[in-house]
Amino acid sequence: MTTLTWEDFCDHAMAVARVPLSARNVERAGGLNDGQVGIVSAAVDRSLFVIAGPGSGKTTASALRILKLIYVDGLDPLEIVATTFTRRAAAVLRSRIIEWGENIRARVLRSRRPASPRFERLDFNQLRVGTIDSIAQDLLNEFRAAGAPRPTPVDTHVFAALMMAEGVRPTPAARSRRLCAFLESLGFNTYGGMLGLGGRAAALVEIRERLINDRVDRAALLAGAGSGASDVSVGLSRALEAIETFEAVMREREIFDFAGLNEYFLQALGSGRMNDFLATVRFVLVDEYQDTNYLQESIYFALAAAARDNGGSICVVGDDDQSLYRFRGATVELFAGFRERARDRMRIEATEIALNLNYRSTRNIVNLVDSFVRSDVIFQQARVTGKPALLHGSANEGELPLVGMFEDGEQVLAQELAGLIGRLVNGGRIRIADAEGRRHAIALDAERGSAGDIAILFDSTSEYRASGTERFPRLLRDELEALDPPIGVFNPRGQPLKRQAAVRRLLGLALLCLDPDASILALQRVGDPVLRELRGWRDDANDFLMSGPANLSRFVDNWQRRRATRPLRGNTNVSLSDLLYKLVTWIPAFQDDVEHLAWLEAVMRAVSAASLLRGFRGELIFAPGSLTDELARRSVADAIWRVFAPIADDVIEVEEDLLETLPRNRVNFMTIHQAKGLEFPVTVVDVGSELGDGRVSKPFKRYPTDPDRVHRMEDLFRPYSQIDLGNRTGRDRAFDDLTRKYFVAFSRAQDLLILVGHSVATTGVSRSRRSMESVATGWRRPSCAPADLWPWRGLSFLRRFP
Amino acid sequence: MSIRPHGVERIIPEYSLTGDLLAFLKCGRQYRLYNKAGLPPSVPVQQWFGEFIHGLMEEAFAQWRAGGAPWNGGWPWAWATHIRPIEETVYRRLLSHGLRPPPRLLYLDYDNPTENGRGIASRRAEAALNTWGVHLFPLVAEAELRLMGSRELPPNAQMRAVRYSVTGIVDVLSSVQLHRAPPSNAILHRLRQSPVVRAEMERSDAPFEIIVDYKGMRRPPSLRSDTWLHQAWQIQTYAWLRHRQNPDARVIAGVLLYLNELYPSQTDLRDLRSDVRAQTTDVMPAPADRAFLLGERESAEQEGEELETGHTRGLSKLFLEDRSFRLVEITPSSLDEATGRFDRVVGDIEVAVQAEITQGSTRAPWPTQPEQRTCTACDFKYHCPDATGRNRLPQVP
């Protein structure tokens, strides 16, 4: 026998994964539910459309389905392609398959004598599991023709820096007033037409991604929306011109971003050179399908068609309520309409399975999450038809009440929340009563509990407003760090790089070395805000020099005089990174702190981005004894444009993917987007810390009055795409997206969910009688029937907890 | 009620043999900064050349296999017509990945490369192709084959996983091609010089494989050198991975090609003289080569020597080729020992990762391995308390 029977497989799975599967053991406690069993047991040619609510065990079911295909249906691991949305999710799925798969193999080999050679040979490492980007990259390399590129995509921030240098700066079209009019019409803030080069570059990168991800026919777009004489039409054609100028340079240098990589992969799939690969595909699993874009759907459909022709199937898993990435091109409607689209475009009939039992959270949390997502009648029209309610799966029988902490200002809210966290982390208990008057004492685990058990989720973790005033995350950080003993915070993206004191000091010192009297800087037309920023760094560095060690002053002085302290032969090239690493010697935080290391990496990424550009590529010319050497001055000017200015203009940001080193001894501040796919024992969600002071100038972040820019882009571009979706209004889509965001936030909590905000959140009206409705606090959109403030019923308020 | 502590998701960590394990063995702290944090070296001589030579051999093989002019014109390949276009393709490709060679490493003028304006990397590329490519390419069954396997971690309750994945990329030579090769094939000839390998090759009933890896470095000393040992472990682990991937594949040997030896720099020659004097290398020079080598006047070491061509006119071609070629025999016991050693290395990395997550410090958990040449090329030497060598304060420029 080269395969196992279903019953034997179930026994082995029961042993290694502790999940009863079949009739003979499904009744045991902790067993898979019917939906999960349906996924695992489906025949190899049965395509599935799986709607998986939060915490509903989809990874377990997906891993076991793949193992069943291998052990029972006899698929070779090489015939399976499984994609997930993040590298972390891919690692989790892959790990589970390998661990369980190897353990089953060991059991099979122990129990059967002589063992089938097939079981001896099974190699789960041959599975293609990854993000669509990593799988595309691997396959393009594996099936690469001589002379063809080896695409390695650069991240969005680096791409924006490249756009700034190669699309915006050299293209007159990108500097036109009409371009700003066009961007303004889409909802980009152009500061009255004064948007800087970095801002324009970031906007053009976003537009380009949308064009690629929606597979927009650019010629038709130009002939349609771009053909008029209005500022917006002309601005659109200017934008396309700048984008195409930029793309020509990127093509010539074989530089890809993620959208470009996927586009290239789709072309390769259709070109015939991957036919050997397509001939092997028999099963395609796509996780987090709700965040798929149209280009990716086209890739998945190409793979699924191959699997269908080879006698296999596709299984898509997702949850429309958890779609968060519309701003990156994700199109939740592709998930909701999957069955029809698969039938129409691939002749594939997919069976629907719903996983609606939540095994993550307590009953109270599950009830809140489900009632939140079902309270808005208009939202129900955007959900998958007939979707069942999310139910408590009886795995977490905790009974803690939902907790709300609402105060009359951000400062007092920060103090109270810090006090609560401090008490928990430092071994104390908090006592609250639930709606029925039962009292609960809450504490972290005495032995293994730590600050890492607590996550605080924000819409944005930025610690400062653009004006420089402190936001709630900053106030909370200060309060936590002021406790005795202090509690550390991990929030490397809390401030833009340019505001981090250590980064300012490092880059300021470098500028003092390179351009002692700022005469080179004065000649650069980088725009006033950038110029002010760079001068600010220099001032900070000068202050540091005054109090810093003498050997730093000597180092800077020698650089400024171009006095070499080591033997040289004539003019010498020095890399900017060499100078920066040397300066790190005097800034110890970069040497030992994980947050500072993330910032240093971002700075060095800007230097690496410069090496992708024409010109000096991040190299400096050191002319001994001369400050007037023309080539040397040009190399400094080049570094200002390509490294310092992008950082000052916020084009370069800290990497999001820092999870491996999330320190356990600090409280994690995260955006809701970063928290996707994660869970935390104690989850604090900021549902409106800024509501009270009338500062929420961006209604799209709480209660949209208009479509957001992503929805406007969709409306503008989609008539020129084949995506073919319904006509839900942009404003309704904006409301839908906010509902999904807070649905994701609330459903991260395992044992204790704490909602925090200004006390205005409980009334919806500010003291100055301004309307302060917010989707996060349960307000329904205007077109819905009036309703009570539902979410706050049943919350135990922790105001001034004892 | 006590809140349950945050459960750690069991994730199998993935390690590359060269990018992780050998890098960690070189210096744990440097590995944390360059490899895990992704900080780019300021003068990436070795990193760039390693990437370049692998890319060049891969692209050259792809072009050669695709056939057509000028590849059907036979060997040796001329730099201007055959090699330069490949060099420029790979150079551009690495640039697009953010990897830029230090000045003079490939060309003196990157915008206008000429025969006389070639740097040491270009000379080595030509030597690699015309010395080894000519014999190797007809034997290659699989080029740039990605290997991946998973192994159990040494038991430790604190670790995030019970297994780890290990990856590598190799070229594979098969018995089919080797049996077809003419006796004059230099690779075949050298393989047959090992009695163990020859015996395995002559077992007519069993197909076999040889794996090949290129090293953009000099041949390390065979005595008193961890690197020598680690590279043998690497080849053994490749063999284990290949067998795991294809149980029919019987890997009987590995070949390491040290490409610096074909065209050594002044630094390489300085180190070679030192090895010969100390008798710490397994490939010693014949009397004539020895006389030339040790007769050279030793000048004081200067910065940038690794980019300057060493004087090799008095050294025999055979001596340089002998030093470039290393055969690693593979037996079940050597394979077990090597994979077991790497298991422990991964265990050490995982302990450091865990300590960092617990302590929040990026420095203390990572062990250092102070060694003159490693520290000299390290960008973090100025603030590393364990660094060896002079110039502890940054110099200008």
Side-chain angles (χ1 to χ4, degrees), chain A residues 30 55 357-363 391-398 751, chain B residues 4:
Chain A
L357 289 174
N358 176 300
Y359 300 110
R360 173 186 296 156
S361 313
T362 63
R363 190 178 304 274
L391 301 174
H392 183 238
S394 303
N396 184 343
E397 295 291 4
D751 293 340
Chain B
R4 291 173 304 170

Side-chain angles (χ1 to χ4, degrees), chain A residues 416-430 442-456 476 479-481 483-490 663-669 681-684 752 754 801, chain B residues 1-3 5-6 358:
Chain A
E416 289 295 312
L417 183 56
L420 183 152
I421 292 170
R423 191 177 292 192
L424 282 176
V425 172
N426 294 324
R429 289 173 179 275
I430 54 172
I442 306 172
L444 296 186
D445 185 86
E447 284 180 12
R448 292 186 296 146
S450 70
D453 293 337
I454 302 171
I456 307 185
L476 182 57
E479 293 292 339
L480 287 166
E481 290 176 350
L483 292 173
D484 184 20
I487 293 176
V489 167
F490 186 69
R664 292 278 299 145
N665 59 354
R666 302 194 204 180
V667 173
N668 296 305
F669 285 12
V682 180
T683 304
V684 181
L752 181 60
I754 305 177
F801 68 92
Chain B
M1 164 193 164
S2 278
I3 305 277
H6 193 197
T358 312

Side-chain angles (χ1 to χ4, degrees), chain A residues 88 91-92 94-96 98-99 102 105 121-123 125-126 144 146-148 150 152 253-255 396 400 441-443 445 448 452-453 551 555 559 563-566 569 574-575 577-578 581-582 584-586 591-594 597 601 604 608 611-612 617 619 622 660-665 679-681 751, chain B residues 1-6 9-12 14 32-34 36-42 58-59 62-63 66 91-93 95-100 103-104 144 146 148-150 160 162-163 165 244-248 302-303 308 353 356-364 379-380 382-383 393-397:
Chain A
R88 184 181 171 283
V92 170
R94 180 184 193 84
S95 302
R96 219 171 275 188
I98 292 179
E99 200 170 316
E102 289 289 355
R105 193 160 73 105
R121 300 164 68 111
L122 271 181
D123 183 6
N125 296 287
Q126 303 303 313
R144 193 178 71 86
R150 289 182 76 100
T152 302
R253 297 206 214 137
E254 299 182 3
I255 298 174
N396 184 343
L400 294 178
I442 306 172
D445 185 86
R448 292 186 296 146
D453 293 337
N551 52 22
F555 178 84
W559 247 103
R563 194 162 51 203
T565 58
R566 63 180 173 90
R569 303 170 200 159
V574 187
S575 73
S577 52
D578 178 72
Y581 283 135
K582 285 174 175 166
V584 162
T585 306
W586 290 284
Q591 302 161 20
D592 193 30
D593 176 72
V594 68
L597 196 55
E601 186 278 330
M604 290 305 175
S608 294
S611 73
L612 299 172
R617 298 180 179 276
E619 293 282 318
F622 185 91
E660 186 188 62
T661 51
L662 271 184
R664 292 278 299 145
N665 59 354
E679 57 189 19
F680 296 94
D751 293 340
Chain B
M1 164 193 164
S2 278
I3 305 277
R4 291 173 304 170
H6 193 197
E9 190 81 63
R10 281 159 80 106
I11 291 181
I12 295 180
E14 191 175 315
R32 171 68 181 92
L33 296 166
Y34 283 140
K36 283 187 91 67
L39 298 175
S42 63
E58 182 204 0
E59 186 63 39
Q63 303 269 7
Y91 164 70
R92 276 199 309 274
R93 196 169 289 158
L95 268 186
S96 77
H97 298 178
L99 269 178
R100 179 164 193 256
R104 298 186 293 126
E144 291 284 302
R146 184 175 157 80
M148 186 175 198
S150 69
R160 57 183 163 171
V162 293
R163 304 185 74 85
S165 282
R244 193 70 198 86
Q245 183 187 61
N246 177 5
D248 294 335
Q302 290 191 348
E303 196 170 333
E308 302 293 335
V353 168
E356 183 176 313
I357 292 171
T358 312
Q359 300 164 15
S361 161
T362 58
R363 174 184 274 188
D379 286 302
F380 315 105
Y382 306 112
H383 52 78
L393 270 179
Q395 300 298 306
V396 175

Side-chain angles (χ1 to χ4, degrees), chain B residues 181-242:
Chain B
S184 59
N185 184 294
I187 303 281
L188 180 64
H189 174 72
R190 285 175 182 275
L191 288 171
R192 293 182 65 83
Q193 287 185 343
S194 156
V196 176
V197 175
R198 191 171 64 233
E200 288 291 335
M201 289 170 77
E202 287 170 357
R203 277 172 55 189
S204 58
D205 57 326
F208 63 86
E209 290 183 343
I210 310 283
I211 51 183
V212 178
D213 191 24
Y214 311 107
K215 292 284 180 196
M217 61 184 296
R218 67 183 287 268
R219 186 186 194 93
S222 56
L223 288 178
R224 299 200 285 276
S225 162
D226 289 341
T227 308
W228 179 263
L229 198 59
H230 298 162
Q231 289 177 350
W233 296 352
Q234 178 196 355
I235 289 294
Q236 306 278 353
T237 307
Y238 283 151
W240 179 84
L241 285 169
R242 175 61 179 159

Side-chain angles (χ1 to χ4, degrees), chain A residues 320-539:
Chain A
D320 48 313
D321 293 335
Q322 296 185 68
S323 176
L324 291 184
Y325 285 91
R326 194 187 292 274
F327 68 94
R328 285 192 191 159
T331 305
V332 62
E333 295 82 359
L334 299 177
F335 176 77
F338 173 77
R339 294 182 70 199
E340 293 73 31
R341 296 175 74 85
R343 186 184 305 128
D344 296 346
R345 300 184 181 213
M346 296 186 293
R347 304 185 318 281
I348 288 177
E349 286 292 340
T351 304
E352 182 175 313
I353 293 179
L355 300 181
N356 65 326
L357 289 174
N358 176 300
Y359 300 110
R360 173 186 296 156
S361 313
T362 63
R363 190 178 304 274
N364 283 334
I365 293 169
V366 173
N367 289 345
L368 172 103
V369 166
D370 184 63
S371 57
F372 175 77
V373 81
R374 285 194 296 125
S375 70
D376 181 325
V377 177
I378 308 290
F379 181 62
Q380 305 314 300
Q381 298 161 4
R383 301 178 78 204
V384 170
T385 311
K387 191 172 185 179
L390 189 67
L391 301 174
H392 183 238
S394 303
N396 184 343
E397 295 291 4
E399 295 182 333
L400 294 178
L402 304 168
V403 172
M405 177 182 275
F406 296 92
E407 299 290 349
D408 288 338
E410 290 175 276
Q411 186 66 57
V412 66
L413 181 64
Q415 282 169 1
E416 289 295 312
L417 183 56
L420 183 152
I421 292 170
R423 191 177 292 192
L424 282 176
V425 172
N426 294 324
R429 289 173 179 275
I430 54 172
R431 296 173 197 285
I432 51 172
D434 61 25
E436 285 78 41
R438 285 179 301 175
R439 299 192 64 77
H440 300 265
I442 306 172
L444 296 186
D445 185 86
E447 284 180 12
R448 292 186 296 146
S450 70
D453 293 337
I454 302 171
I456 307 185
L457 310 188
F458 304 90
D459 168 61
S460 158
T461 53
S462 293
E463 296 182 8
Y464 292 90
R465 297 185 179 86
S467 62
T469 55
E470 294 170 329
R471 294 185 68 245
F472 180 58
R474 180 74 220 180
L475 300 174
L476 182 57
R477 177 196 276 269
D478 288 345
E479 293 292 339
L480 287 166
E481 290 176 350
L483 292 173
D484 184 20
I487 293 176
V489 167
F490 186 69
N491 184 23
R493 288 165 64 101
Q495 295 181 45
L497 268 183
K498 68 182 180 192
R499 293 194 66 102
Q500 303 295 351
V503 172
R504 295 172 68 85
R505 188 172 288 175
L506 174 69
L507 295 175
L509 285 169
L511 282 172
L512 291 182
C513 290
L514 298 176
D515 187 16
D517 56 359
S519 59
I520 302 174
L521 179 59
L523 295 174
Q524 311 309 313
R525 294 175 56 201
V526 287
D528 286 344
V530 169
L531 205 55
R532 270 197 304 276
E533 195 62 47
L534 299 184
R535 286 180 174 147
W537 298 353
R538 296 174 63 95
D539 293 344

